Amino acid sequence: QVQLAESGGGSVPAGGSLRLSCTVSASTYTDIFLAWFRQAPGKEREGVAAIDSDGRMTYADAVKGRFTISQDNAKNTLYLQMTSLKPEDTAVYYCAADEKGGPLTSRAIDLSTRIRYNAWGQGTQVTVSS
């Protein structure tokens, strides 16, 4: 089974930037569908961004234009570049994998915790101060 390990979280002031990384251990990295989720205190886990093996991406409305998802196949690593951070971005950020792979479908499916993903990382904390 694929294993995921996030890093890069931290504390930044509003307007700042962070880059999260997720190292993916899998036998066939290039076929995996990957995504970032986040969970704020007292709230449900929500989808942030997803990317398929052809590099097609989708984003939640709350982060569109500020966050960029990318992957480096040579390093088996998924990234989330976050800019113009806001206090409401404060959360634990998780990477997730759908080992069956496949293309981007719709945000309702690709950014849902309940449909595609069979593997999750332990999370990394991002705190944005006002």
Side-chain angles (χ1 to χ4, degrees), residues 59-72:
Y59 296 91
D61 286 342
V63 306
K64 197 176 295 184
R66 300 189 298 122
F67 291 11
T68 302
I69 189 171
S70 63
Q71 58 188 349
D72 184 334

Side-chain angles (χ1 to χ4, degrees), residues 14-34:
S17 299
L18 279 175
R19 189 177 78 159
L20 305 183
S21 300
C22 175
T23 301
V24 182
S25 299
S27 57
T28 54
Y29 173 83
T30 54
D31 295 334
I32 295 174
F33 188 99
L34 296 166

Side-chain angles (χ1 to χ4, degrees), residues 73-90:
N73 291 343
K75 296 182 179 179
N76 283 19
T77 302
L78 177 72
Y79 300 102
L80 185 68
Q81 178 68 49
M82 305 185 295
T83 63
S84 302
L85 282 161
K86 304 175 182 180
E88 51 264 45
D89 295 318
T90 295

